Amino acid sequence: MSPYLAEFIGTAFLVLLGDTVVCNVVLNKTKGNSSGWIVIAFGWAVAVLIPALMFGPTSGAHFNPALTLGLAINGALPMADLVPYIVCQMLGAIFGGILVWLMYKDHFDATDDQGAKLGCFCTGPAIRNPMSNLFSEILATFVLVFCILGVTQTGVGASPALGTFEVCAIILSCGVSLGGTTGYAINPARDLGPRIAHAIVPIKGKGSSDWGYAWIPVCGPFIGGVLGAVCAAALFV
């Protein structure tokens, strides 16, 4: 399988499994309604784990343009692969977002809260303060990339399967500890792709896609990813 196809399919699975756990918690008349933040954080961690186990040997299981950029800067990914990886991740995220709507369409129809509907696709701040929100995304993505590269470069995650579970643990920790401010996008594709899907699919009473905020979960993760990669390269030698 092509690594580009693996990134497309893997990112689509990530978005499908991650965003639908949010649907299950926040949309009306679901079996998991109001089950809480821990369910969302755990669901997102496993949503990354499953496609990573399937596609890790093929593409490295990035599924995240911020991580891809960090690995390219560190020399772990050829620069020629940078743009194709990110394009495939974005397309996979949009496709996954469309599947989210199809899966929970009846529950979107049964929900009046426009913010809840948008939150099933993309992130938003608990308290809207652009600079604080940007810092939150930078720091959370820095932690994600720095810890992934730290575990890899110290040899603790030498086994590919073990390393994948370690990444799952890192993402779970980011969600539980750092996700309360912005919903921890920590991945430009994970946020922008489903936001585009929200804008284009005919969701009943969906409201705004909040494009005024959309730059934060894109720019913040890219900045944090680069900083995490540079610091990891400097410290883990």
Side-chain angles (χ1 to χ4, degrees):
M1 178 186 291
S2 161
Y4 304 142
L5 181 59
E7 285 296 302
F8 172 86
I9 298 174
T11 308
F13 266 95
L14 180 152
V15 168
L16 173 63
L17 296 176
D19 278 352
T20 52
V21 75
V22 182
C23 293
N24 195 21
V25 171
V26 306
L27 295 181
N28 290 345
K29 300 183 179 180
T30 63
K31 298 291 187 179
N33 182 262
S34 301
S35 50
W37 184 251
I38 299 300
V39 172
I40 290 175
F42 183 80
W44 262 107
V46 177
V48 177
L49 172 66
I50 292 171
L53 290 171
M54 290 192 290
F55 299 114
T58 304
S59 70
H62 299 185
F63 315 142
N64 182 342
L67 177 60
T68 298
L69 179 59
L71 292 173
I73 288 173
N74 270 10
L77 179 77
M79 277 293 179
D81 285 335
L82 176 61
V83 172
Y85 261 56
I86 291 176
V87 169
C88 290
Q89 291 159 359
M90 281 298 310
L91 292 175
I94 294 169
F95 181 66
I98 294 170
L99 294 179
V100 169
W101 170 63
L102 291 173
M103 179 69 192
Y104 275 88
K105 181 182 182 303
D106 290 343
H107 298 276
F108 281 109
D109 291 346
T111 301
D112 294 326
D113 187 337
Q114 294 179 348
K117 292 179 181 184
L118 179 60
C120 293
F121 292 88
C122 52
T123 63
I127 298 174
R128 189 173 292 259
N129 181 331
M131 289 302 100
S132 294
N133 302 151
L134 181 64
F135 175 76
S136 293
E137 287 294 337
I138 292 172
L139 180 58
T141 313
F142 172 89
V143 171
L144 172 71
V145 173
F146 181 82
C147 290
I148 289 174
L149 294 178
V151 167
T152 301
Q153 295 185 47
T154 57
V156 176
S159 164
L162 176 60
T164 302
F165 279 94
E166 290 166 346
V167 171
C168 175
I170 293 167
I171 293 170
L172 178 60
S173 181
C174 286
V176 173
S177 300
L178 305 176
T181 55
T182 61
Y184 74 121
I186 61 175
N187 180 340
R190 168 267 174 276
D191 192 276
L192 182 57
R195 195 182 297 268
I196 292 172
H198 176 271
I200 63 177
V201 297
I203 304 169
K204 180 181 176 182
K206 64 182 175 183
S208 168
S209 299
D210 197 8
W211 291 109
Y213 179 79
W215 67 276
I216 290 174
V218 172
C219 295
F222 272 126
I223 296 169
V226 169
L227 292 175
V230 169
C231 290
L235 291 174
F236 301 107
V237 293

